[in-house]
Amino acid sequence: MKQVHITPLNVTNRAILSREVALYIYRHTANPYKELLRVLTQYYANYYEKVLPGIKGAPIHDVFTLYYLINIDKTYTIERDVNGSYCK
């Protein structure tokens, strides 16, 4: 049996990537995906500005997954047996 870990997505809209921080990252990284970060941050910041007036950037909804991977000792898990098919 294969062990799989699942973490929830869209847990929060309180982790915000501000335009200033996104611009800082863009200017100070050589990562080839930095242009994608800039475009996505602008898109979501503009969208959320319309639907949540006053928000100061783009929410990073899936930040819990990253937190879990970095801070496993500060989280807890629940084991369940799950049967089903999956892609290999």
Side-chain angles (χ1 to χ4, degrees):
M1 181 177 292
K2 186 174 186 176
Q3 188 177 35
V4 176
H5 296 263
I6 298 173
T7 62
L9 302 176
N10 294 329
V11 173
T12 182
N13 65 353
R14 294 181 183 186
I16 306 295
L17 179 60
S18 71
R19 293 174 191 265
E20 295 80 15
V21 171
L23 182 60
Y24 178 87
I25 294 168
Y26 180 79
R27 288 181 176 165
H28 294 89
T29 186
N31 188 301
Y33 298 107
K34 74 180 195 174
E35 189 63 33
L36 179 62
L37 175 67
R38 186 184 67 79
V39 172
L40 287 174
T41 301
Q42 287 178 350
Y43 174 83
Y44 283 108
N46 290 338
Y47 171 78
Y48 278 98
E49 197 170 26
K50 292 176 187 170
V51 298
L52 292 172
I55 196 166
K56 304 294 183 197
I60 308 173
H61 296 292
D62 303 332
V63 75
F64 177 76
T65 300
L66 298 173
Y67 179 85
Y68 171 76
L69 292 172
I70 295 168
N71 299 287
I72 290 176
D73 60 317
K74 296 179 180 147
T75 61
Y76 68 93
T77 59
I78 300 171
E79 286 191 33
R80 296 285 186 258
D81 290 330
V82 178
N83 296 312
S85 61
Y86 59 90
C87 297
K88 292 183 180 185

Coordinates of all heavy atoms in Angstrom, one line a residue:
M1 N 0.8 -1.2 0.0 CA 0.0 0.0 0.0 C 0.9 1.2 0.0 O 1.9 1.3 0.7 CB -0.9 0.0 1.2 CG -1.8 1.2 1.2 SD -3.0 1.2 2.6 CE -4.0 -0.1 2.2
K2 N 0.5 2.2 -0.8 CA 1.3 3.4 -0.9 C 0.8 4.5 0.1 O -0.4 4.7 0.3 CB 1.2 4.0 -2.3 CG 2.1 5.1 -2.6 CD 2.0 5.5 -4.1 CE 3.0 6.6 -4.4 NZ 3.0 6.9 -5.8
Q3 N 1.8 5.2 0.7 CA 1.4 6.2 1.7 C 1.3 7.5 1.0 O 2.2 7.9 0.2 CB 2.4 6.3 2.8 CG 2.0 7.2 3.9 CD 3.0 7.2 5.1 OE1 4.2 7.1 4.8 NE2 2.5 7.3 6.3
V4 N 0.2 8.2 1.2 CA -0.1 9.5 0.5 C -0.4 10.5 1.6 O -1.2 10.2 2.5 CB -1.2 9.4 -0.5 CG1 -1.6 10.7 -1.1 CG2 -0.9 8.4 -1.6
H5 N 0.1 11.7 1.5 CA -0.2 12.8 2.4 C -1.1 13.9 1.6 O -0.7 14.3 0.5 CB 1.0 13.5 2.9 CG 1.9 12.6 3.7 ND1 1.8 12.6 5.1 CD2 2.7 11.7 3.4 CE1 2.6 11.7 5.6 NE2 3.2 11.1 4.6
I6 N -2.2 14.3 2.2 CA -3.0 15.3 1.5 C -3.2 16.4 2.5 O -3.4 16.3 3.6 CB -4.4 14.7 1.2 CG1 -4.3 13.5 0.3 CG2 -5.4 15.7 0.6 CD1 -5.6 12.7 0.1
T7 N -3.0 17.6 1.9 CA -3.2 18.8 2.7 C -4.3 19.7 2.1 O -4.4 19.6 0.9 CB -1.9 19.7 2.8 OG1 -1.5 20.1 1.5 CG2 -0.8 18.9 3.5
P8 N -5.0 20.4 2.9 CA -6.1 21.2 2.3 C -5.6 22.4 1.5 O -4.5 22.9 1.8 CB -6.9 21.6 3.6 CG -5.9 21.6 4.7 CD -4.9 20.5 4.3
L9 N -6.4 22.8 0.5 CA -6.1 23.9 -0.3 C -7.1 25.0 0.0 O -8.2 24.7 0.5 CB -6.0 23.6 -1.8 CG -5.0 22.5 -2.2 CD1 -5.2 22.2 -3.6 CD2 -3.6 22.9 -1.9
N10 N -6.8 26.2 -0.4 CA -7.7 27.4 -0.1 C -8.1 27.5 1.3 O -9.3 27.7 1.6 CB -8.9 27.3 -1.1 CG -8.5 27.4 -2.5 OD1 -7.5 28.1 -2.8 ND2 -9.2 26.8 -3.4
V11 N -7.2 27.3 2.2 CA -7.5 27.4 3.6 C -7.6 28.8 4.1 O -8.5 29.1 5.0 CB -6.3 26.7 4.5 CG1 -6.6 26.9 5.9 CG2 -6.3 25.2 4.1
T12 N -6.9 29.7 3.5 CA -6.9 31.1 4.1 C -6.8 32.1 2.9 O -6.2 31.8 1.9 CB -5.8 31.3 5.1 OG1 -5.9 32.6 5.6 CG2 -4.4 31.1 4.5
N13 N -7.3 33.3 3.2 CA -7.0 34.4 2.3 C -6.3 35.5 3.1 O -6.3 36.6 2.7 CB -8.3 35.0 1.6 CG -9.2 35.6 2.6 OD1 -9.0 35.5 3.8 ND2 -10.3 36.2 2.1
R14 N -5.7 35.1 4.2 CA -5.0 36.0 5.1 C -3.5 36.1 4.8 O -2.8 37.0 5.2 CB -5.2 35.7 6.5 CG -6.6 35.8 6.9 CD -6.8 35.5 8.4 NE -8.3 35.6 8.7 CZ -8.7 35.5 9.9 NH1 -7.9 35.2 10.9 NH2 -10.0 35.6 10.1
A15 N -3.0 35.2 4.0 CA -1.6 35.3 3.6 C -1.6 36.1 2.3 O -2.0 35.6 1.2 CB -1.0 33.9 3.4
I16 N -1.1 37.3 2.3 CA -1.1 38.2 1.2 C 0.3 38.5 0.7 O 1.2 38.8 1.4 CB -1.8 39.5 1.6 CG1 -3.1 39.3 2.3 CG2 -1.9 40.5 0.4 CD1 -4.2 38.7 1.4
L17 N 0.4 38.3 -0.7 CA 1.7 38.7 -1.3 C 1.4 40.1 -1.8 O 0.7 40.3 -2.8 CB 2.0 37.8 -2.4 CG 3.3 38.1 -3.2 CD1 4.5 38.1 -2.3 CD2 3.5 37.1 -4.4
S18 N 2.0 41.1 -1.2 CA 1.8 42.5 -1.6 C 2.5 42.8 -2.9 O 3.4 42.1 -3.3 CB 2.3 43.5 -0.5 OG 3.7 43.4 -0.5
R19 N 2.0 43.8 -3.6 CA 2.7 44.2 -4.8 C 4.2 44.6 -4.6 O 5.0 44.3 -5.4 CB 1.9 45.3 -5.5 CG 0.6 45.0 -5.9 CD -0.2 46.2 -6.4 NE -1.6 46.0 -6.7 CZ -2.1 45.7 -7.8 NH1 -1.3 45.5 -8.9 NH2 -3.4 45.5 -8.0
E20 N 4.4 45.2 -3.4 CA 5.8 45.6 -3.1 C 6.7 44.4 -2.9 O 7.8 44.4 -3.4 CB 5.8 46.5 -1.9 CG 5.1 47.8 -2.0 CD 3.6 47.7 -1.9 OE1 3.1 46.7 -1.4 OE2 2.9 48.7 -2.3
V21 N 6.2 43.4 -2.2 CA 7.0 42.2 -2.0 C 7.2 41.4 -3.3 O 8.3 41.0 -3.6 CB 6.4 41.3 -0.9 CG1 7.1 39.9 -0.8 CG2 6.5 42.0 0.4
A22 N 6.2 41.3 -4.1 CA 6.3 40.7 -5.4 C 7.3 41.4 -6.3 O 8.1 40.7 -6.9 CB 4.9 40.6 -6.1
L23 N 7.3 42.7 -6.3 CA 8.2 43.5 -7.1 C 9.7 43.3 -6.5 O 10.6 43.1 -7.3 CB 7.9 45.0 -7.0 CG 8.8 45.9 -7.9 CD1 8.7 45.5 -9.3 CD2 8.3 47.3 -7.7
Y24 N 9.8 43.2 -5.2 CA 11.1 43.0 -4.6 C 11.7 41.6 -5.1 O 12.8 41.5 -5.5 CB 11.1 43.0 -3.1 CG 12.4 42.7 -2.4 CD1 13.3 43.7 -2.2 CD2 12.7 41.4 -2.1 CE1 14.5 43.4 -1.6 CE2 13.9 41.1 -1.5 CZ 14.8 42.1 -1.3 OH 16.0 41.9 -0.7
I25 N 10.8 40.6 -5.0 CA 11.2 39.2 -5.4 C 11.6 39.3 -6.9 O 12.6 38.7 -7.3 CB 10.1 38.2 -5.2 CG1 9.9 38.0 -3.7 CG2 10.4 36.9 -5.9 CD1 8.6 37.3 -3.4
Y26 N 10.8 39.9 -7.7 CA 11.1 40.0 -9.2 C 12.4 40.6 -9.5 O 13.2 40.2 -10.3 CB 9.9 40.8 -9.8 CG 10.1 40.9 -11.3 CD1 9.8 39.9 -12.2 CD2 10.6 42.1 -11.9 CE1 9.9 40.0 -13.5 CE2 10.7 42.2 -13.3 CZ 10.4 41.1 -14.1 OH 10.6 41.2 -15.4
R27 N 12.7 41.7 -8.7 CA 14.0 42.4 -9.0 C 15.2 41.7 -8.4 O 16.3 42.0 -8.9 CB 13.9 43.8 -8.4 CG 12.9 44.8 -9.1 CD 12.9 46.1 -8.5 NE 12.1 47.0 -9.3 CZ 11.7 48.2 -8.8 NH1 12.0 48.6 -7.6 NH2 10.9 49.0 -9.6
H28 N 15.0 40.9 -7.4 CA 16.2 40.3 -6.8 C 16.4 38.8 -7.0 O 17.1 38.2 -6.2 CB 16.1 40.6 -5.3 CG 16.3 42.1 -5.0 ND1 15.2 42.9 -4.9 CD2 17.4 42.8 -4.7 CE1 15.6 44.2 -4.7 NE2 16.9 44.1 -4.6
T29 N 15.7 38.3 -8.0 CA 15.9 36.8 -8.2 C 16.3 36.6 -9.7 O 16.0 37.4 -10.6 CB 14.6 36.0 -7.9 OG1 14.9 34.6 -8.0 CG2 13.5 36.4 -8.8
A30 N 17.0 35.5 -9.9 CA 17.4 35.1 -11.2 C 16.6 33.9 -11.6 O 16.8 33.3 -12.7 CB 18.9 34.7 -11.2
N31 N 15.6 33.6 -10.9 CA 14.7 32.4 -11.1 C 14.0 32.6 -12.5 O 13.5 33.7 -12.8 CB 13.7 32.3 -10.0 CG 12.9 31.0 -10.2 OD1 12.2 30.8 -11.2 ND2 12.9 30.2 -9.1
P32 N 14.1 31.6 -13.3 CA 13.5 31.7 -14.7 C 11.9 31.9 -14.6 O 11.4 32.3 -15.6 CB 13.8 30.4 -15.4 CG 14.1 29.5 -14.3 CD 14.7 30.3 -13.1
Y33 N 11.3 31.6 -13.5 CA 9.9 31.8 -13.4 C 9.4 33.1 -12.8 O 8.3 33.3 -12.5 CB 9.3 30.6 -12.5 CG 9.5 29.3 -13.2 CD1 10.5 28.5 -12.6 CD2 8.9 28.9 -14.3 CE1 10.7 27.2 -13.2 CE2 9.1 27.7 -14.9 CZ 10.0 26.8 -14.3 OH 10.3 25.6 -14.9
K34 N 10.4 34.0 -12.7 CA 10.0 35.3 -12.0 C 9.0 36.1 -12.8 O 8.2 36.8 -12.3 CB 11.3 36.1 -11.7 CG 11.9 36.8 -12.9 CD 13.2 37.5 -12.5 CE 13.7 38.5 -13.5 NZ 14.7 39.3 -13.0
E35 N 9.1 36.0 -14.2 CA 8.1 36.7 -15.0 C 6.7 36.2 -14.7 O 5.7 36.9 -14.7 CB 8.4 36.6 -16.5 CG 7.6 37.4 -17.4 CD 7.8 38.9 -17.1 OE1 8.9 39.4 -16.7 OE2 6.8 39.7 -17.3
L36 N 6.6 34.9 -14.6 CA 5.3 34.2 -14.2 C 4.8 34.8 -12.9 O 3.6 35.1 -12.8 CB 5.4 32.7 -14.2 CG 4.1 31.9 -13.9 CD1 3.1 32.2 -14.9 CD2 4.5 30.5 -13.8
L37 N 5.6 34.8 -11.9 CA 5.2 35.4 -10.6 C 4.7 36.8 -10.8 O 3.7 37.1 -10.2 CB 6.4 35.4 -9.6 CG 6.1 36.0 -8.3 CD1 5.1 35.2 -7.5 CD2 7.4 36.2 -7.5
R38 N 5.4 37.6 -11.5 CA 5.0 39.0 -11.7 C 3.6 39.1 -12.4 O 2.7 39.8 -11.9 CB 6.0 39.8 -12.6 CG 5.7 41.2 -12.7 CD 6.7 41.9 -13.7 NE 6.5 41.5 -15.0 CZ 5.5 42.0 -15.9 NH1 4.6 42.8 -15.4 NH2 5.4 41.5 -17.1
V39 N 3.4 38.3 -13.4 CA 2.1 38.3 -14.2 C 1.0 37.8 -13.3 O -0.1 38.4 -13.2 CB 2.2 37.5 -15.5 CG1 0.9 37.3 -16.1 CG2 3.2 38.2 -16.4
L40 N 1.2 36.7 -12.6 CA 0.1 36.1 -11.8 C -0.2 37.0 -10.6 O -1.4 37.1 -10.2 CB 0.6 34.7 -11.3 CG 0.6 33.6 -12.3 CD1 1.1 32.3 -11.7 CD2 -0.8 33.4 -12.8
T41 N 0.8 37.6 -10.0 CA 0.6 38.5 -8.8 C -0.2 39.7 -9.3 O -1.2 40.1 -8.6 CB 1.9 38.9 -8.2 OG1 2.6 37.8 -7.8 CG2 1.7 39.8 -7.0
Q42 N 0.1 40.2 -10.4 CA -0.7 41.4 -10.9 C -2.1 41.0 -11.2 O -3.1 41.7 -10.8 CB 0.0 42.0 -12.2 CG 1.3 42.7 -11.9 CD 1.9 43.3 -13.2 OE1 1.5 42.9 -14.3 NE2 2.9 44.1 -13.0
Y43 N -2.3 39.9 -11.9 CA -3.6 39.4 -12.2 C -4.5 39.2 -11.0 O -5.6 39.8 -10.9 CB -3.6 38.1 -13.0 CG -4.9 37.5 -13.3 CD1 -5.7 38.0 -14.4 CD2 -5.4 36.5 -12.5 CE1 -6.9 37.5 -14.6 CE2 -6.7 36.0 -12.7 CZ -7.4 36.5 -13.8 OH -8.7 35.9 -14.1
Y44 N -4.0 38.5 -10.0 CA -4.8 38.2 -8.8 C -5.0 39.4 -7.9 O -6.0 39.6 -7.3 CB -4.2 37.0 -8.1 CG -4.6 35.7 -8.7 CD1 -3.6 34.9 -9.4 CD2 -5.9 35.2 -8.8 CE1 -4.0 33.8 -10.1 CE2 -6.2 34.1 -9.4 CZ -5.3 33.3 -10.1 OH -5.6 32.2 -10.7
A45 N -4.0 40.2 -7.9 CA -4.1 41.5 -7.1 C -5.2 42.4 -7.7 O -6.0 42.9 -6.9 CB -2.8 42.2 -7.0
N46 N -5.2 42.5 -9.0 CA -6.3 43.3 -9.6 C -7.6 42.6 -9.4 O -8.6 43.3 -9.2 CB -6.0 43.4 -11.1 CG -4.8 44.3 -11.4 OD1 -4.4 45.1 -10.6 ND2 -4.2 44.1 -12.6
Y47 N -7.7 41.3 -9.6 CA -9.0 40.6 -9.4 C -9.5 40.8 -7.9 O -10.7 41.2 -7.7 CB -8.9 39.1 -9.7 CG -10.1 38.4 -9.3 CD1 -11.3 38.4 -10.1 CD2 -10.2 37.6 -8.1 CE1 -12.4 37.7 -9.7 CE2 -11.3 37.0 -7.7 CZ -12.4 37.0 -8.5 OH -13.6 36.3 -8.1
Y48 N -8.7 40.5 -7.0 CA -9.1 40.6 -5.6 C -9.4 42.1 -5.1 O -10.2 42.3 -4.2 CB -8.1 39.9 -4.6 CG -8.4 38.4 -4.6 CD1 -7.6 37.6 -5.4 CD2 -9.4 37.9 -3.8 CE1 -7.8 36.2 -5.4 CE2 -9.6 36.6 -3.8 CZ -8.9 35.7 -4.6 OH -9.1 34.4 -4.6
E49 N -8.7 43.0 -5.8 CA -9.0 44.4 -5.5 C -10.5 44.7 -5.8 O -11.1 45.5 -5.1 CB -8.1 45.3 -6.3 CG -7.9 46.7 -5.8 CD -6.8 47.4 -6.5 OE1 -6.4 47.1 -7.6 OE2 -6.3 48.4 -5.8
K50 N -11.0 44.1 -6.8 CA -12.4 44.3 -7.3 C -13.4 43.6 -6.3 O -14.4 44.2 -6.0 CB -12.6 43.8 -8.7 CG -11.9 44.7 -9.7 CD -12.1 44.1 -11.1 CE -11.2 44.8 -12.1 NZ -11.2 44.1 -13.4
V51 N -13.1 42.4 -5.9 CA -14.0 41.6 -5.1 C -13.8 41.8 -3.6 O -14.8 41.5 -2.9 CB -14.0 40.1 -5.5 CG1 -14.4 39.9 -7.0 CG2 -12.6 39.5 -5.2
L52 N -12.7 42.2 -3.2 CA -12.4 42.5 -1.8 C -11.7 43.8 -1.7 O -10.5 43.9 -1.4 CB -11.5 41.4 -1.2 CG -12.1 40.0 -1.0 CD1 -11.0 39.0 -0.6 CD2 -13.2 40.0 0.0
P53 N -12.5 44.9 -1.8 CA -11.9 46.2 -1.8 C -11.1 46.4 -0.5 O -11.4 46.0 0.6 CB -13.1 47.2 -1.8 CG -14.2 46.4 -2.4 CD -13.9 45.0 -2.0
G54 N -9.9 47.0 -0.7 CA -9.0 47.3 0.5 C -7.9 46.2 0.6 O -7.0 46.4 1.4
I55 N -8.0 45.1 -0.1 CA -7.0 44.1 0.1 C -5.7 44.6 -0.5 O -5.7 45.3 -1.5 CB -7.4 42.7 -0.6 CG1 -6.5 41.6 -0.1 CG2 -7.5 42.9 -2.1 CD1 -7.1 40.2 -0.5
K56 N -4.6 44.3 0.0 CA -3.3 44.9 -0.3 C -2.4 44.0 -1.1 O -1.2 43.9 -0.9 CB -2.6 45.4 0.9 CG -3.3 46.3 1.8 CD -3.5 47.7 1.0 CE -4.3 48.6 2.0 NZ -4.8 49.7 1.3
G57 N -3.0 43.2 -2.0 CA -2.1 42.3 -2.8 C -2.9 41.0 -3.2 O -4.1 41.0 -3.3
A58 N -2.2 40.0 -3.5 CA -2.8 38.7 -4.0 C -2.7 37.7 -2.9 O -1.7 37.4 -2.3 CB -2.0 38.2 -5.2
P59 N -3.9 37.1 -2.5 CA -3.9 36.0 -1.5 C -3.1 34.8 -2.0 O -3.1 34.5 -3.2 CB -5.3 35.7 -1.3 CG -6.1 36.8 -1.8 CD -5.2 37.4 -2.9
I60 N -2.4 34.2 -1.1 CA -1.7 33.0 -1.4 C -2.4 31.9 -0.7 O -2.1 31.5 0.5 CB -0.2 33.0 -1.0 CG1 0.5 34.3 -1.5 CG2 0.6 31.8 -1.4 CD1 1.9 34.5 -1.0
H61 N -3.5 31.4 -1.3 CA -4.4 30.4 -0.6 C -3.7 29.2 -0.1 O -4.1 28.6 0.9 CB -5.6 30.1 -1.5 CG -6.4 31.2 -1.9 ND1 -7.2 31.9 -1.0 CD2 -6.6 31.9 -3.0 CE1 -7.9 32.9 -1.5 NE2 -7.5 32.9 -2.8
D62 N -2.8 28.7 -0.9 CA -2.3 27.3 -0.6 C -1.0 27.4 0.2 O -0.2 26.4 0.2 CB -2.0 26.6 -2.0 CG -3.3 26.5 -2.8 OD1 -4.4 26.5 -2.2 OD2 -3.2 26.5 -4.0
V63 N -0.9 28.4 1.0 CA 0.4 28.5 1.8 C 0.4 27.5 2.9 O 1.5 27.1 3.3 CB 0.5 30.0 2.3 CG1 -0.5 30.2 3.5 CG2 1.9 30.3 2.8
F64 N -0.7 26.9 3.3 CA -0.6 25.9 4.4 C 0.2 24.7 3.9 O 0.9 24.1 4.7 CB -2.0 25.5 4.8 CG -2.0 24.4 5.8 CD1 -1.7 24.7 7.1 CD2 -2.2 23.0 5.5 CE1 -1.6 23.7 8.1 CE2 -2.1 22.0 6.4 CZ -1.8 22.3 7.7
T65 N 0.0 24.3 2.7 CA 0.8 23.1 2.2 C 2.3 23.4 2.3 O 3.0 22.5 2.8 CB 0.5 22.9 0.7 OG1 -1.0 22.6 0.7 CG2 1.2 21.7 0.2
L66 N 2.7 24.6 2.0 CA 4.2 24.9 2.2 C 4.5 25.0 3.6 O 5.6 24.5 4.0 CB 4.4 26.3 1.5 CG 4.2 26.4 0.0 CD1 4.4 27.8 -0.5 CD2 5.1 25.4 -0.7
Y67 N 3.7 25.5 4.5 CA 3.9 25.6 5.9 C 4.1 24.2 6.5 O 5.0 23.9 7.2 CB 2.8 26.3 6.6 CG 3.0 26.4 8.1 CD1 3.7 27.4 8.7 CD2 2.4 25.4 8.9 CE1 3.9 27.4 10.1 CE2 2.6 25.4 10.3 CZ 3.4 26.4 10.9 OH 3.5 26.5 12.2
Y68 N 3.2 23.3 6.0 CA 3.2 21.9 6.5 C 4.6 21.2 6.2 O 5.2 20.6 7.0 CB 2.1 21.1 5.9 CG 2.2 19.6 6.2 CD1 1.8 19.1 7.4 CD2 2.6 18.7 5.2 CE1 1.9 17.7 7.7 CE2 2.7 17.4 5.4 CZ 2.4 16.9 6.6 OH 2.5 15.5 6.9
L69 N 5.0 21.4 4.9 CA 6.2 20.8 4.5 C 7.5 21.3 5.2 O 8.4 20.5 5.5 CB 6.4 21.0 3.0 CG 5.4 20.3 2.1 CD1 5.6 20.7 0.6 CD2 5.6 18.8 2.2
I70 N 7.4 22.6 5.6 CA 8.6 23.2 6.3 C 8.5 23.0 7.8 O 9.5 22.9 8.5 CB 8.7 24.7 6.0 CG1 9.0 24.8 4.5 CG2 9.7 25.4 6.8 CD1 8.8 26.2 3.9
N71 N 7.3 22.9 8.3 CA 7.1 22.8 9.8 C 6.2 21.6 10.2 O 5.3 21.7 11.0 CB 6.3 24.1 10.3 CG 7.1 25.3 10.0 OD1 8.1 25.6 10.6 ND2 6.7 26.1 9.0
I72 N 6.6 20.4 9.8 CA 5.9 19.2 10.1 C 5.7 19.1 11.6 O 4.7 18.6 12.1 CB 6.5 18.0 9.4 CG1 6.3 18.0 7.9 CG2 5.9 16.7 10.0 CD1 7.0 16.9 7.2
D73 N 6.7 19.5 12.3 CA 6.7 19.3 13.8 C 5.6 20.2 14.5 O 5.3 20.0 15.6 CB 8.1 19.6 14.4 CG 8.6 21.0 14.1 OD1 8.4 21.4 12.9 OD2 9.2 21.6 15.0
K74 N 5.1 21.2 13.7 CA 4.1 22.2 14.3 C 2.7 21.9 13.8 O 1.8 22.7 14.0 CB 4.5 23.6 14.0 CG 5.9 24.0 14.6 CD 6.2 25.4 14.2 CE 7.6 25.7 14.9 NZ 8.4 26.6 14.2
T75 N 2.6 20.8 13.1 CA 1.2 20.4 12.6 C 0.9 19.0 13.1 O 1.8 18.3 13.7 CB 1.2 20.4 11.0 OG1 2.2 19.5 10.5 CG2 1.5 21.8 10.5
Y76 N -0.3 18.6 12.8 CA -0.6 17.2 13.2 C -1.3 16.6 12.0 O -1.9 17.3 11.1 CB -1.5 17.1 14.4 CG -2.9 17.6 14.3 CD1 -3.9 16.8 13.9 CD2 -3.1 19.0 14.5 CE1 -5.2 17.3 13.8 CE2 -4.4 19.5 14.4 CZ -5.4 18.7 14.1 OH -6.7 19.1 13.9
T77 N -1.3 15.3 11.9 CA -2.0 14.6 10.8 C -3.0 13.6 11.4 O -2.9 13.2 12.6 CB -0.9 13.8 10.0 OG1 -0.2 12.9 10.8 CG2 0.1 14.7 9.3
I78 N -3.9 13.2 10.5 CA -4.9 12.1 10.9 C -4.7 11.0 9.8 O -4.8 11.3 8.7 CB -6.3 12.7 10.8 CG1 -6.4 13.9 11.9 CG2 -7.3 11.6 11.1 CD1 -7.7 14.6 11.7
E79 N -4.5 9.8 10.3 CA -4.3 8.7 9.4 C -5.7 8.1 9.1 O -6.5 7.9 10.0 CB -3.4 7.6 10.0 CG -2.0 8.0 10.0 CD -1.1 6.8 10.4 OE1 -1.4 5.7 10.0 OE2 0.0 7.1 11.0
R80 N -5.9 7.8 7.8 CA -7.1 7.1 7.3 C -6.7 6.1 6.3 O -5.8 6.4 5.4 CB -8.1 8.1 6.7 CG -8.6 9.2 7.7 CD -9.6 8.5 8.6 NE -10.3 9.5 9.5 CZ -10.0 9.8 10.7 NH1 -9.0 9.1 11.3 NH2 -10.6 10.7 11.4
D81 N -7.4 5.0 6.3 CA -7.3 4.1 5.2 C -8.2 4.5 4.1 O -9.4 4.7 4.3 CB -7.6 2.6 5.6 CG -6.6 2.1 6.6 OD1 -5.4 2.5 6.4 OD2 -6.9 1.3 7.4
V82 N -7.7 4.7 2.9 CA -8.5 5.1 1.7 C -8.3 4.1 0.6 O -7.1 3.8 0.3 CB -8.1 6.5 1.3 CG1 -8.9 6.9 0.1 CG2 -8.2 7.5 2.4
N83 N -9.3 3.7 0.0 CA -9.3 2.8 -1.1 C -9.7 3.5 -2.4 O -10.7 4.3 -2.3 CB -10.1 1.5 -0.9 CG -9.6 0.7 0.2 OD1 -8.5 0.4 0.3 ND2 -10.6 0.3 1.1
G84 N -9.1 3.3 -3.5 CA -9.4 3.9 -4.7 C -8.4 3.8 -5.7 O -7.3 3.2 -5.5
S85 N -8.6 4.3 -6.9 CA -7.6 4.2 -8.0 C -7.0 5.5 -8.1 O -7.5 6.6 -7.8 CB -8.3 3.8 -9.3 OG -9.3 4.7 -9.6
Y86 N -5.8 5.5 -8.7 CA -5.0 6.7 -8.9 C -4.1 6.5 -10.1 O -3.9 5.4 -10.5 CB -4.2 7.1 -7.7 CG -3.2 6.0 -7.2 CD1 -1.9 6.0 -7.7 CD2 -3.6 5.1 -6.3 CE1 -1.0 5.0 -7.3 CE2 -2.7 4.1 -5.9 CZ -1.4 4.1 -6.4 OH -0.6 3.1 -6.1
C87 N -3.6 7.6 -10.6 CA -2.7 7.5 -11.8 C -1.3 7.2 -11.3 O -0.9 7.7 -10.3 CB -2.7 8.8 -12.5 SG -4.2 9.2 -13.3
K88 N -0.6 6.3 -12.0 CA 0.7 6.0 -11.6 C 1.7 6.8 -12.3 O 1.6 7.3 -13.4 CB 1.0 4.5 -11.9 CG 0.2 3.6 -11.0 CD 0.6 2.2 -11.2 CE -0.2 1.3 -10.3 NZ 0.1 -0.1 -10.3

